[in-house]
Amino acid sequence: MKFAHWKDLFGSLQDLMQKGGKFGKAAAQVSGILKLAQRKNTVSEVFFGIPTTNHGESRIQHCIKYDLQGACRLITVQHNDVCFLMFAGTHDDCTDWLERNKGIRFHLNTIDGRGVFEATRVSDDVSDASKRLTTIPDFSAGKLWEKLPARYFDKLCVGLSEELVVKLKMLTSIVEDDVLLELAIEADGSGDIDHLYDTFNLLRGGSVQEAKARIDLHNGDVTPLDVIQKDTIDKVSSGDEVVMNDDVDAVLFDHFLKTASFQKWMLYLHPSQREFVKRDFNGPARLTGVSGSGKTSVLIHRAVRLAREFPQERILVLTLNRALAKMIKDLTETSMGDDAPKNLVVQSFWELCQEKLLEFEPENGQIYWDKTIKTNKFAIEEHIDEIWSEYYECKNNNITAKVLEPLHRTLINRNIFPSDYIRQEFDYLRSALGPLERKNYIRLEREGRSVPLEERYRSNVIDGLASWESKMTNVGAIDYLGLATALYKHITKIKPIFRCVLVDEMQDFGCVELKIIRALVATGKNDIFLCGDLAQSVLTKYHKLSESGIDIVGRSHSIRKNYRNSREILAAAFELFIQNKKLFSSASAIEILNPEYANFSSSPPLLLMAEDFTSELSYAIDYLHSLLRDENGASRKFCIAICGYNQREIELIAKNLSLNVLTGDTDVVAGQIFVSDLEQTKGFEFDSMIILNCSNSVIPSPALPVEESYREICKLYVAMTRAKTELIVSYSVNASSFIMEISTKFTQGAWDTYASKAPMPKFVFAKSRFIDDSDKELLNMTAHAILYLPEAVGLTTAAQEKLLQTVTGTTRFQNGRQTEWKTFSFFYDGIRRMPTIRNYNGISEGVWNELQNLFTKLDNSEKSLAATIRNSTLSSPKRPILKLKNNV
């Protein structure tokens, strides 16, 4: 007798274990049965001492139920030398499960050359209501037939009249059983009316995979369990729905029963994933996969396998994101407990660099952090984003960034916001070349960077990067790529201390990091295993494996089946790529895989509008509060991702809301609600995902090159595909053009029909930037300060020059006429009142028009800021919302 598990078994056992007491003992009984089934091969041996129930079961053919402790039941299907363990639970839970799965039948299908068991529900007799399949509508949008691949619908329609086919194409998820029955009866010429009724009933309930299997069963493309030969059964592999008992890791399974539901994915492997856990490679290998395909799960299982295979050597799992590394480490330890291999190391690349730098530079180790170190109780801990702003804008008597002024001003003239673009260029350079190799940047082909930079501007970048690194050293902090650069200086000292290195989210590693990884492991069998999705490339880096000493030729593979997202969510996210293919022409290295959709549906994503960003946030908080009040809310996880803000600003927002923020140190397993930017969400998953500030003025950024906006598509795709069953995209005024191009995939509406405004603490937002000082007056700045504002983007060189000559921060007259002004406001008002001064100062009509437009933009920003200040503090609430601080 072969033993196998139906896909519902693991979850049902975990539910029993979480209840504890007698229910936990029932789950332990089944665990014992599964272990025994790996050593014994008869039903009498495996179920010894466990009685069958007193009553038979007619809802499922060949069903046998067993009595467990605590008045629980174990449901099995036993037929033709196979025993399927289906579900375990209380009497009521088992009754509900049997009703939902009435008519289930197994068959053998051949997938990629392997025989796997699948199942579908089948009506015994559609003319008898008690023997007829029925499902609960999933209320998904669209026509039911469109859920099927065209080849399946064609098979379904063989022998049907054109008139009937037209009627079938009109069916939606709200079709009633009687209507389906009438249409099935019309198909009497096909010789079998049951399969037509069953197929559309299954589609109505969102069970697309079962519907396809029902068509295959009718057409003889799969083999019913009844007629499968024994020698064939012996060769059956685990599949997506049925796992053969021999493929279950007993150690992992024991710990699985005791872990939280968030960690379920750690245990179960689908066949397309299992292949890459067990497979050996004669050198570095790469596994790419669509979002939600379980790449991280593959990586962890493979790492555990290799750690057991090489118990005397160290195996490294490496990821860029510190929070993701922590989660992987926690999940591995929780899932395996004391049985976790002691030679398995899980680190972020940041932690690895710190560790090695302490080895090579013990005297400097304390400075390698992304915040300044507090030297005394009066010292201020500065975030790296604050340090960048101080450096780049030449604040506090810091003038080293002046070397970047020529590049800064030409980028303004090209309609590009220089601060962001130059910081990205620093990252691109450091990810491509080590400190001693930077002269090669002058001739480097900047793949994926659309703004051409001639040699003098590239020299500016090299010099500016050197001054930025010096600034970080002086203040005692470092950014991520600065850390990698510091370690790369010691590349020749790095020894191959690991037997195997497995890298998650490999697309985020640049050449410098990849060369360090290459140095950590000797060349050989299974030395480097890279996992990732090139379509999730969100960082501005130079990524070329061929230049990093990592040769994957002949060892690059992909998996396309998505298991995380509902069909509706993934379809909306993938449509981003379909509608913007042309934007990826400058990023030839990015490969976009066509996904295979998961076998479940949800409501379409929501596209909701509010009057401003503060309102969006207020509504989102109230909406999540309502989900928390749900009785099942305690086990769910939620995320608010915000477009257009940097990491420091996100952290300030989260702090004001008393919410968790996704950073390098976040404990995702322990928390429930998180605030994040778009890219930090990568690697995680949430039951509900809300993306705020997805407005046309924010994304794509109007101050960055259109040709490079593909990265923002990737970021938006990443955030959207974190949602398992619920996705809300929010905007104010006008939605992002990215979203409007795919708006048919959303249900559109206004926030006030879904939530109320939660009270908000007083903090101020302006456009896509955070303003700490609410008294900051944009119009009362000097030219130097104004040229660092987003509003200055687009000014011609002539307008910049004239602004710098006249708005100097001092008042100066020549021959009785004013030539310099303290602030832009004074300058604008003086020229407007006395136009002759304009001519005296050589301000052409074209330049004056530009400066008038600049005044309007700054004035509007100030008014918007003032309105936001007024609206950011709501009236005293009737109840606290998510423990908000500083409610007024």
Side-chain angles (χ1 to χ4, degrees):
M1 176 72 76
K2 300 287 286 187
F3 291 87
H5 318 145
W6 178 241
K7 60 184 180 181
D8 292 349
L9 180 69
F10 292 153
S12 68
L13 292 178
Q14 190 182 52
D15 289 342
L16 286 175
M17 184 62 71
Q18 296 298 317
K19 290 179 179 179
K22 61 183 181 180
F23 305 108
K25 292 178 180 179
Q29 267 188 290
V30 180
S31 178
I33 292 170
L34 295 174
K35 292 177 184 176
L36 200 57
Q38 290 186 329
R39 296 185 287 110
K40 305 294 184 180
N41 56 13
T42 66
V43 168
S44 58
E45 291 175 303
V46 172
F47 291 97
F48 180 78
I50 301 178
T52 58
T53 58
N54 294 326
H55 303 285
E57 182 53 60
S58 61
R59 284 166 286 194
I60 297 177
Q61 293 181 358
H62 313 298
C63 181
I64 297 176
K65 297 180 292 187
Y66 291 89
D67 280 323
L68 303 175
Q69 295 187 39
C72 293
R73 307 282 188 272
L74 170 64
I75 301 171
T76 70
V77 171
Q78 301 176 25
H79 184 57
N80 196 10
D81 209 34
V82 185
C83 175
F84 300 95
L85 283 74
M86 307 294 288
F87 183 86
T90 64
H91 178 275
D92 289 344
D93 289 340
C94 287
T95 298
D96 292 341
W97 186 90
L98 286 164
E99 283 297 323
R100 292 195 307 272
N101 292 275
K102 181 169 62 176
I104 194 169
R105 297 183 192 176
F106 288 93
H107 56 264
L108 185 70
N109 194 5
T110 301
I111 299 176
D112 297 330
R114 298 176 292 105
V116 299
F117 283 124
E118 291 181 342
T120 187
R121 285 168 284 173
V122 178
S123 295
D124 289 329
D125 182 0
V126 295
S127 62
D128 185 340
S130 64
K131 299 179 180 180
R132 186 189 307 152
L133 170 67
T134 186
T135 62
I136 298 174
D138 67 356
F139 300 106
S140 57
K143 302 293 190 290
L144 293 180
W145 75 277
E146 293 175 337
K147 295 184 178 183
L148 288 171
R151 67 182 186 280
Y152 274 93
F153 187 69
D154 291 343
K155 289 180 184 179
L156 185 67
C157 294
V158 171
L160 303 183
S161 67
E162 291 185 10
E163 182 181 0
L164 180 55
V165 171
V166 170
K167 293 180 181 178
L168 294 175
K169 285 188 172 184
M170 297 301 295
L171 299 178
T172 67
S173 60
I174 60 173
V175 62
E176 297 179 353
D177 285 348
D178 290 345
V179 174
L180 285 182
L181 184 59
E182 291 175 6
L183 294 175
I185 293 173
E186 280 190 49
D188 56 1
S190 66
D192 180 3
I193 66 172
D194 290 2
H195 88 286
L196 192 66
Y197 173 86
D198 289 349
T199 298
F200 278 94
N201 213 309
L202 292 165
L203 291 173
R204 178 182 68 175
S207 301
V208 178
Q209 190 63 35
E210 279 193 84
K212 291 160 61 178
R214 183 66 180 92
I215 296 171
D216 286 339
L217 191 63
H218 172 72
N219 290 321
D221 295 328
V222 295
T223 308
L225 178 62
D226 309 63
V227 299
I228 302 174
Q229 299 297 313
K230 187 179 186 306
D231 61 341
T232 301
I233 291 176
D234 290 337
K235 300 174 184 176
V236 172
S237 303
S238 294
D240 285 351
E241 298 179 338
V242 177
V243 180
M244 304 310 293
N245 194 53
D246 292 340
D247 287 333
V248 174
D249 187 314
V251 174
L252 277 176
F253 183 77
D254 247 5
H255 291 284
F256 164 80
L257 292 181
K258 302 169 186 176
T259 60
S261 59
F262 183 65
Q263 299 161 323
K264 282 185 180 182
W265 62 272
M266 275 292 296
L267 176 70
Y268 184 67
L269 283 172
H270 298 272
S272 60
Q273 301 167 339
R274 187 175 292 108
E275 173 188 353
F276 297 106
V277 171
K278 298 180 177 179
R279 188 168 178 175
D280 290 319
F281 297 97
N282 293 321
R286 181 179 70 179
L287 177 66
T288 58
V290 300
S291 176
S293 58
K295 300 179 293 296
T296 301
S297 183
V298 169
L299 180 136
I300 292 173
H301 282 267
R302 183 176 177 84
V304 170
R305 193 266 285 186
L306 292 171
R308 289 174 176 169
E309 186 175 326
F310 304 105
Q312 303 305 315
E313 300 181 82
R314 298 173 76 198
I315 308 299
L316 174 66
V317 171
L318 199 61
T319 186
L320 205 62
N321 186 300
R322 279 178 279 161
L324 182 56
K326 184 179 187 304
M327 186 187 76
I328 292 174
K329 185 176 182 179
D330 290 346
L331 289 176
T332 304
E333 292 176 350
T334 302
S335 298
M336 302 192 69
D338 294 336
D339 295 300
K342 301 300 184 289
N343 59 329
L344 179 58
V345 179
V346 181
Q347 285 185 315
S348 69
F349 195 76
W350 179 278
E351 293 167 321
L352 174 75
C353 289
Q354 285 184 318
E355 181 181 287
K356 299 304 291 182
L357 282 166
L358 280 173
E359 176 185 338
F360 299 138
E361 304 175 10
E363 73 283 2
N364 293 328
Q366 65 174 3
I367 72 167
Y368 292 123
W369 198 246
D370 56 358
K371 291 182 175 68
T372 54
I373 305 299
K374 281 191 174 184
T375 55
N376 57 65
K377 65 180 181 179
F378 302 107
I380 299 174
E381 186 180 73
E382 288 183 289
H383 191 282
I384 196 68
D385 290 340
E386 295 174 276
I387 300 167
W388 168 259
S389 177
E390 179 185 287
Y391 158 77
Y392 187 77
E393 297 179 25
C394 299
K395 298 175 181 176
N396 300 329
N397 297 317
N398 169 72
I399 61 171
T400 57
K402 280 189 174 292
V403 68
L404 294 167
E405 277 192 0
L407 177 57
H408 176 93
R409 292 176 62 183
T410 190
L411 289 175
I412 288 178
N413 190 29
R414 300 189 208 183
N415 278 301
I416 296 169
F417 186 49
S419 176
D420 290 350
Y421 196 82
I422 292 175
R423 194 175 182 184
Q424 291 172 8
E425 193 68 19
F426 282 2
D427 287 349
Y428 193 83
L429 170 53
R430 287 184 292 172
S431 68
L433 301 165
L436 299 180
E437 304 161 342
R438 288 178 183 170
K439 62 181 182 298
N440 297 327
Y441 170 71
I442 299 296
R443 299 286 179 264
L444 182 71
E445 184 179 350
R446 298 163 57 251
E447 184 175 315
R449 300 292 274 171
S450 64
V451 178
L453 296 181
E454 56 190 77
E455 184 171 332
R456 59 176 172 146
Y457 294 134
R458 294 195 187 204
S459 295
N460 292 159
V461 172
I462 294 173
D463 294 340
L465 176 54
S467 66
W468 167 231
E469 290 172 332
S470 176
K471 168 71 175 178
M472 287 190 287
T473 300
N474 291 337
V475 300
I478 199 165
D479 62 358
Y480 164 73
L481 273 166
L483 196 65
T485 298
L487 179 57
Y488 189 76
K489 294 176 183 177
H490 305 281
I491 187 71
T492 58
K493 301 178 188 177
I494 299 175
K495 304 301 180 185
I497 57 176
F498 297 101
R499 174 59 184 79
C500 309
V501 177
L502 301 93
V503 182
D504 199 19
E505 303 292 355
M506 59 85 190
Q507 74 279 354
D508 289 338
F509 287 78
C511 279
V512 164
E513 299 109 301
L514 291 168
K515 287 178 181 179
I516 292 171
I517 291 169
R518 177 67 277 179
L520 289 168
V521 56
T523 58
K525 181 179 177 182
N526 295 329
D527 54 351
I528 296 176
F529 186 74
L530 306 170
C531 268
D533 179 8
L534 295 172
Q536 296 186 49
S537 300
V538 299
L539 302 178
T540 310
K541 288 189 176 181
Y542 186 85
H543 174 94
K544 283 195 176 182
L545 295 179
S546 60
E547 296 183 16
S548 307
I550 300 176
D551 180 10
I552 59 167
V553 175
R555 295 183 295 272
S556 182
H557 305 272
S558 63
I559 47 180
R560 297 173 181 267
K561 182 64 179 288
N562 172 282
Y563 297 101
R564 176 197 298 136
N565 314 111
S566 71
R567 295 176 63 87
E568 289 74 13
I569 290 173
L570 184 58
F574 186 65
E575 191 73 13
L576 279 173
F577 294 131
I578 295 175
Q579 294 298 326
N580 293 280
K581 284 183 179 179
K582 61 181 182 297
L583 291 178
F584 287 84
S585 59
S586 62
S588 58
I590 293 183
E591 178 187 12
I592 299 172
L593 301 173
N594 288 311
E596 297 177 21
Y597 293 96
N599 189 37
F600 69 95
S601 293
S602 68
S603 299
L606 290 173
L607 177 59
L608 302 182
M609 180 182 70
E611 56 268 35
D612 52 42
F613 171 66
T614 307
S615 298
E616 290 181 57
L617 188 57
S618 177
Y619 283 124
I621 294 295
D622 182 77
Y623 186 81
L624 289 184
H625 187 91
S626 69
L627 295 183
L628 284 175
R629 289 197 298 268
D630 182 78
E631 61 181 4
N632 297 318
S635 62
R636 302 180 69 193
K637 292 189 180 292
F638 314 101
C639 182
I640 299 173
I642 304 175
C643 303
Y645 289 84
N646 66 32
Q647 184 61 29
R648 171 182 168 266
E649 293 161 352
I650 294 292
E651 291 175 16
L652 287 170
I653 292 171
K655 181 179 179 180
N656 275 277
L657 294 172
S658 300
L659 295 177
N660 299 306
V661 62
L662 280 183
T663 68
D665 307 305
T666 305
D667 184 356
V668 181
V669 175
Q672 192 169 6
I673 300 177
F674 302 88
V675 180
S676 177
D677 61 10
L678 300 184
E679 53 263 45
Q680 287 287 335
T681 62
K682 187 190 299 183
F684 303 107
E685 60 180 44
F686 302 94
D687 297 281
S688 297
M689 188 82 196
I690 302 178
I691 303 175
L692 301 182
N693 207 28
C694 201
S695 301
N696 201 41
S697 60
V698 176
I699 183 170
S701 172
L704 289 176
V706 173
E707 295 83 359
E708 294 188 34
S709 61
Y710 66 85
R711 284 196 188 88
E712 295 183 276
I713 294 174
C714 291
K715 291 178 184 180
L716 191 54
Y717 171 80
V718 164
M720 289 174 69
T721 54
R722 300 310 97 190
K724 291 193 288 187
T725 56
E726 183 178 43
L727 171 65
I728 299 175
V729 176
S730 170
Y731 70 97
S732 55
V733 187
N734 294 306
S736 164
S737 58
F738 291 156
I739 294 299
M740 291 311 298
E741 287 171 345
I742 61 171
S743 60
T744 57
K745 300 291 184 180
F746 291 80
T747 297
Q748 300 185 49
W751 260 115
D752 58 11
T753 61
Y754 290 86
S756 300
K757 282 187 177 181
M760 299 292 288
K762 184 176 181 178
F763 54 100
V764 179
F765 302 91
K767 287 192 172 180
S768 62
R769 62 179 184 268
F770 190 91
I771 303 296
D772 295 309
D773 181 4
S774 60
D775 296 326
K776 190 172 187 178
E777 296 180 357
L778 304 181
L779 288 169
N780 288 329
M781 291 181 173
T782 65
H784 176 80
I786 286 174
L787 289 181
Y788 287 106
L789 297 176
E791 287 84 358
V793 170
L795 287 177
T796 63
T797 301
Q800 294 177 56
E801 289 284 356
K802 194 54 64 176
L803 197 63
L804 288 167
Q805 291 171 9
T806 53
V807 187
T808 61
T810 61
T811 301
R812 190 179 301 277
F813 290 83
Q814 186 174 10
N815 297 325
R817 294 188 177 95
Q818 190 166 357
T819 57
E820 296 180 34
W821 287 261
K822 291 187 65 174
T823 70
F824 184 61
S825 178
F826 289 155
F827 163 78
Y828 181 82
D829 190 53
I831 298 293
R832 184 177 57 81
R833 288 187 292 106
M834 297 184 65
T836 56
I837 298 179
R838 191 188 86 189
N839 297 329
Y840 180 79
N841 283 277
I843 302 174
S844 69
E845 184 174 352
V847 167
W848 176 241
N849 288 337
E850 288 188 60
L851 297 179
Q852 283 183 304
N853 184 50
L854 174 62
F855 181 90
T856 301
K857 287 194 288 186
L858 292 172
D859 188 42
N860 288 339
S861 293
E862 279 200 356
K863 290 175 180 175
S864 175
L865 179 56
T868 307
I869 293 172
R870 289 195 301 271
N871 296 333
S872 64
T873 306
L874 305 181
S875 58
S876 180
K878 296 179 180 178
R879 56 175 173 79
I881 301 295
L882 298 178
K883 299 180 181 179
L884 292 181
K885 294 179 181 178
N886 304 322
N887 288 331
V888 179

